[in-house]
Amino acid sequence: MMKWKRLQIVAVLLVATLLLAACGGGKGDNAGAKPSDNSSASNSASEKVKLRVMWWGSQPRHEATLKALELYTEKNPHVTFEPEYSGMDGYLDKLSTQAAAHNEPDIFQMDPGWISDWTSRNQLEELGSKIKLDEITPSLLPIGEKDGKQFAVPLGSVAFGMIYDKAALEKLGVTPPQDGWTWDDFFALAEEVKPKLAKDQYFTLDYAGNYFMFSAFHYAKGKDVLITDDGKFNIDEAAFLEWTKKFEQLRNEGLVPPADLNASDKEMDPTADLLVNGKVLFRYSFSNNYTTWDSMKEGAYDLVTMPRAEEAGGWLKPSMFLSLSPNSKHKEEAAKFIDWFVNDPEAGAILGTARGVPANAKIAESLIPNLPEGEKVGMKLIDATTPDGQTFTTGPEGWVNFIDKDWPLVRDELSFGRTTPEKAYESLKKASQEYEQ
């Protein structure tokens, strides 16, 4: 579940001068916790341990993570790993099924929006007393907390914006967007490219029923979050109808893909990503994902801030977290590994920005001089989003199914033309009643 509040103090990232010098602020007793030195473990006669580790991501993230696991085993020969990795699709369902059977991995990657529900079900092990937190950017920690205890450790921070096919726009003779552009600019650009598009080429994906994109529009219109802190439905009807009718127009004009093609899109899949295949010119993206798209078509793409209106539309957020299973039989070794993964400079050098700008301030700062050009593009989006972008916090517990189950039903009905914007709004409002506190 998500919530964005306008930045009161820009205390998140670190671009250009990077990283807060104030990262050393403590988090009570947890911040001073010092786990055992991993290097000594490799010299001991420790019992052999195999840790299951699960994450989602793209191929570059998989490769970087596997290299980090190999290095850890090299330094700690008594610890080996059973990695489980995939794309995002189906990840939560698989992990939830395993957790329900008390058979989840020892260590697993978590999205910020899931943490409140998992802590409410006692499905995460407390970590703050086991992990050194005093070098972690302080503003990233609260989402992983409950009742003053740390149950998930942030891995990085990212900005939410858009990626576009720069090469295709140049070929069409269209001026690319600039940071700070507006939603009016976005829809005007769609009309500008309409007569220039090739057959079976579209301006953007059909985002009429996309939760994240509508959230950005809703916030840009100054309408605040979609669900309030106290668990109330807060979708502005006028903003929802404006958004969905704009996309209805794009659909009727052939500027978004037909429903079946739109549904076939798989983000960052070389064979099914509609941006990679040249079918669409724009799609949303997080700053850390740029290098994956660039690796599939080098130099073709660029990032731009999420369009704005009365307020900014994009936001900054923790990218993801690592958590420890309360059912793990190797909690001590698993916690040592998590501490190494987020705090060790050698691990940081391998992982780079595969999960966003590293949450460890010192590691992030050390990476800046040697960042590849592709990763600097992601940093540029963070820099552009930071001054007045929205910041991410989790909302009330219990709304995950509204986002992951109820919203996609309405999304598909809109895309396939089986409902109207007005009926879609009423469907969401009715569905929300099950979750309101």
Side-chain angles (χ1 to χ4, degrees), residues 37-46 74-78:
D37 184 355
N38 287 323
S39 61
S40 64
S42 64
N43 298 321
S44 68
S46 300
E74 182 182 320
K75 291 178 170 292
N76 303 270
H78 67 292

Side-chain angles (χ1 to χ4, degrees), residues 46-77:
S46 300
E47 179 184 355
K48 297 290 185 182
V49 169
K50 177 178 283 189
L51 298 175
R52 289 172 60 205
V53 184
M54 184 172 174
W55 71 90
W56 78 84
S58 60
Q59 190 60 31
R61 184 185 299 166
H62 299 332
E63 292 171 359
T65 306
L66 290 171
K67 287 181 181 178
L69 299 185
E70 290 174 6
L71 177 61
Y72 190 83
T73 296
E74 182 182 320
K75 291 178 170 292
N76 303 270

Side-chain angles (χ1 to χ4, degrees), residues 55 60-69 71 109 155 288 291 322 337-338 340-358 363 367 371 375:
W55 71 90
R61 184 185 299 166
H62 299 332
E63 292 171 359
T65 306
L66 290 171
K67 287 181 181 178
L69 299 185
L71 177 61
Q109 191 170 284
L155 298 177
N288 62 309
T291 53
L322 273 188
F337 168 74
I338 294 174
W340 178 86
F341 196 80
V342 298
N343 289 317
D344 188 89
E346 286 187 276
I350 291 174
L351 297 168
T353 60
R355 290 175 171 84
V357 175
I363 291 174
L367 294 179
L371 277 180
E375 294 185 13

Side-chain angles (χ1 to χ4, degrees), residues 13-20 365 368 383:
L13 282 166
L14 3 77
V15 188
T17 62
L18 219 117
L19 295 199
L20 299 171
E365 189 171 17
I368 299 305
D383 194 24

Side-chain angles (χ1 to χ4, degrees), residues 186-206 244-259 279 415:
F186 175 83
F187 290 112
L189 186 59
E191 294 300 322
E192 181 184 349
V193 303
K194 180 182 175 182
K196 303 178 180 182
L197 293 173
K199 183 181 179 182
D200 298 326
Q201 188 179 35
Y202 309 91
F203 177 65
T204 189
L205 292 169
D206 190 340
T244 50
K245 287 183 178 182
K246 284 283 191 182
F247 272 90
E248 185 175 55
Q249 179 182 345
L250 296 184
R251 199 177 305 122
N252 292 337
E253 294 179 355
L255 285 165
V256 297
K279 298 294 186 181
S415 182

Side-chain angles (χ1 to χ4, degrees), residues 18 22 28 42 73 100 107 168 194 219 247 276 287 332 335 373 375 382 410 432 434:
L18 219 117
S42 64
T73 296
I107 301 160
K194 180 182 175 182
Y219 223 125
F247 272 90
V276 175
S287 54
E332 182 178 354
E373 286 303 314
E375 294 185 13
I382 293 174
V410 172
S432 73
E434 179 182 343

